[in-house]
Amino acid sequence: MLAELLARSGKSLLKDVPPDGRRYWAARFWDRAAAEQHPLLRDHFLEQKDTIAGYLKRYGTETGRVLEFACGTGEFTGLAAENTAAKAITALDISAQGLEIVRKRVTHEGLELVYGDFWAENKVGTADLVMCVDAIHHLGDVRQVLERMKTFVAPGGVLVGNLWTGDHFHDFERRRYGTLNHLARTAGFFGTAAAIRLSGGKLRTGAYRTQLITSWEGAAILREVFGDVLELDVHRHFMSFVVKP
């Protein structure tokens, strides 16, 4: 179909150019709580959320500190507060609006909110449980993001995270936005990809802010970067994992 062709062509044009959505996400936030009410996708979101909550319960029993990147509006920050033994939780995001929502939503005596870019030097140190949910694919090239994230995991610690995958991307988007809107969004992505290629990689717009790979590709990258994959759950539209350096 046309949307699939546009997506494949755009991805081919981009090749090794990573997404850069920093300006886009700094100006807004994604309301996952609202997304979880979607009539066609609600069960998918909640299934994945339950998976992450289970990870936190199993691997957070002796956690002293949680370090979360791209916390958004704090849906998973709250899960960490409820399901781990952490005395300190540091949550970082590039959206000031999102952090204000976290501040109101999450109650935890050791909560520290950091306004910053994942790729900047934020002096957040390391933690025995590092977490990044719904955002790794937005932060840049997936492999490079995971390699950087690994540096924040303390010895013996784990990374809990997920990736939205390309396994059933078009089905997901059509359910989420409708067929015509999905086609328009995919055409916008193709146009942006062409402009990026013509500009030699200099152009950056919010239309290219996600790098979607298959669950098979994601699993291979996790094993290459971390070596020890403790848990790996592949859902229809997401893959969730716990890995250890």
Side-chain angles (χ1 to χ4, degrees), residues 104-127:
K104 297 173 183 176
R105 170 178 282 163
V106 180
T107 301
H108 188 279
E109 290 185 0
L111 179 63
E112 176 191 17
L113 301 181
V114 178
Y115 172 57
D117 173 9
F118 169 73
W119 294 102
E121 177 51 64
N122 297 292
K123 298 181 180 180
V124 292
T126 60

Side-chain angles (χ1 to χ4, degrees), residues 25 28-36 49 68 70-78 91-93 95-106 113 133-134:
W25 288 115
R28 57 184 51 78
F29 59 86
W30 182 57
D31 188 352
R32 185 187 167 100
E36 289 174 357
K49 192 173 186 178
E68 182 183 14
C71 64
T73 57
E75 287 289 314
F76 293 93
T77 318
L92 178 144
D93 201 271
S95 168
Q97 296 170 291
L99 290 174
E100 281 305 308
I101 295 174
V102 181
R103 196 182 310 277
K104 297 173 183 176
R105 170 178 282 163
V106 180
L113 301 181
V133 183
D134 291 348

Side-chain angles (χ1 to χ4, degrees), residues 59-60 62-65 126-131 149-150 152-160 226 228-230 242-245:
Y59 295 92
E62 298 181 1
T63 295
R65 182 182 184 229
T126 60
D128 42 353
L129 196 157
V130 176
M131 179 168 68
M149 211 157 278
K150 179 180 178 180
F152 296 99
V153 181
V158 299
L159 168 66
V160 172
F226 285 89
D228 198 353
V229 178
L230 304 176
V242 182
V243 290
K244 186 176 183 178

Side-chain angles (χ1 to χ4, degrees), residues 165-174 235-238:
T165 68
D167 294 359
H168 304 282
F169 166 71
H170 295 283
D171 171 65
F172 180 85
E173 294 291 283
R174 289 187 179 107
H235 311 266
R236 181 169 178 79
H237 303 297
F238 315 93

Side-chain angles (χ1 to χ4, degrees), residues 24-206:
Y24 178 89
W25 288 115
R28 57 184 51 78
F29 59 86
W30 182 57
D31 188 352
R32 185 187 167 100
E36 289 174 357
Q37 302 307 311
H38 193 290
L40 300 178
L41 297 172
R42 173 180 169 81
D43 290 346
H44 295 282
F45 282 118
L46 294 181
E47 177 189 17
Q48 187 234 24
K49 192 173 186 178
D50 287 344
T51 299
I52 298 296
Y55 291 165
L56 295 173
K57 290 176 183 177
R58 289 194 291 279
Y59 295 92
T61 55
E62 298 181 1
T63 295
R65 182 182 184 229
V66 170
L67 173 58
E68 182 183 14
F69 290 104
C71 64
T73 57
E75 287 289 314
F76 293 93
T77 318
L79 284 185
E82 296 166 7
N83 294 291
T84 73
K87 300 298 183 184
I89 298 177
T90 300
L92 178 144
D93 201 271
I94 200 170
S95 168
Q97 296 170 291
L99 290 174
E100 281 305 308
I101 295 174
V102 181
R103 196 182 310 277
K104 297 173 183 176
R105 170 178 282 163
V106 180
T107 301
H108 188 279
E109 290 185 0
L111 179 63
E112 176 191 17
L113 301 181
V114 178
Y115 172 57
D117 173 9
F118 169 73
W119 294 102
E121 177 51 64
N122 297 292
K123 298 181 180 180
V124 292
T126 60
D128 42 353
L129 196 157
V130 176
M131 179 168 68
C132 187
V133 183
D134 291 348
I136 290 173
H137 43 278
H138 287 309
L139 294 174
D141 175 79
V142 169
R143 181 185 295 274
Q144 293 174 2
V145 173
L146 289 170
E147 287 174 344
R148 176 167 169 77
M149 211 157 278
K150 179 180 178 180
T151 67
F152 296 99
V153 181
V158 299
L159 168 66
V160 172
N162 78 334
L163 291 168
W164 288 26
T165 68
D167 294 359
H168 304 282
F169 166 71
H170 295 283
D171 171 65
F172 180 85
E173 294 291 283
R174 289 187 179 107
R175 288 169 179 255
R176 190 178 184 189
Y177 298 112
T179 300
L180 290 179
N181 199 357
H182 170 52
L183 177 59
R185 292 168 64 88
T186 308
F189 164 71
F190 173 78
T192 293
I196 289 174
R197 181 51 57 192
L198 289 171
S199 71
K202 295 178 181 178
L203 177 68
R204 288 287 190 275
T205 77

